[in-house]
Amino acid sequence: MKSRKKARNIVVDDIAFHWKASGNDGYISISIWPKIGECIITATLPYYETRQNNGDGTYSLKNQIVITNRMVRKIIKFAQENYSFKPSFKGEIRLKSLDGLILLDDAIRATEKIPKEEN
């Protein structure tokens, strides 16, 4: 997932990164890599969705979290603090599930309007 096509950009501590997030069954895959360097950080997060009863025996999943620059910044900081991540590393840092490891109390939800600075 290191293709720059459709990748978003973020600068953390004066270092430029690209990132992508994609939905999968039950979780969101996130890949982050420095603009200059050979390292990639991969992680997953649950959707943290709300189940809404449709009244006919089925459910709809609503209110999922949205991966934004704010969330990506937290993931990069987590990798720096817990895995001594540096953009000069070679290879992959697999954080696996970040469920319960980073604070999501300020996460944007799919039903909310995303502020301009988070796009």
Side-chain angles (χ1 to χ4, degrees):
M1 191 192 259
K2 206 169 172 183
S3 167
R4 285 186 288 194
K5 189 174 183 179
K6 297 185 182 180
R8 299 207 175 214
N9 301 301
I10 186 172
V11 176
V12 177
D13 298 331
D14 297 323
I15 299 168
F17 291 88
H18 297 295
W19 66 273
K20 285 186 177 185
S22 63
N24 294 294
D25 288 343
Y27 62 94
I28 303 167
S29 294
I30 306 156
S31 296
I32 307 163
W33 63 98
K35 204 170 193 177
I36 299 172
E38 298 181 30
C39 186
I40 186 167
I41 300 169
T42 58
T44 62
L45 277 170
Y47 287 103
Y48 297 106
E49 70 271 355
T50 304
R51 269 179 97 173
Q52 179 179 358
N53 188 335
N54 294 329
D56 60 1
T58 63
Y59 292 88
S60 295
L61 301 178
K62 306 277 185 187
N63 218 18
Q64 300 93 337
I65 62 167
V66 176
I67 305 302
T68 62
N69 277 347
R70 181 184 327 159
M71 182 92 51
V72 170
R73 182 178 312 279
K74 287 181 180 187
I75 295 168
I76 292 169
K77 292 291 190 181
F78 179 84
Q80 288 172 331
E81 293 167 8
N82 295 279
Y83 292 83
S84 301
F85 167 73
K86 292 180 177 34
S88 60
F89 284 174
K90 292 186 179 186
E92 182 177 355
I93 296 177
R94 294 181 188 176
L95 300 179
K96 299 185 181 177
S97 178
L98 294 173
D99 188 20
L101 297 177
I102 61 172
L103 290 176
L104 300 172
D105 54 342
D106 60 350
I108 303 288
R109 298 293 176 159
T111 55
E112 300 173 19
K113 185 174 172 107
I114 300 173
K116 182 75 172 160
E117 65 272 5
E118 287 296 317
N119 286 335

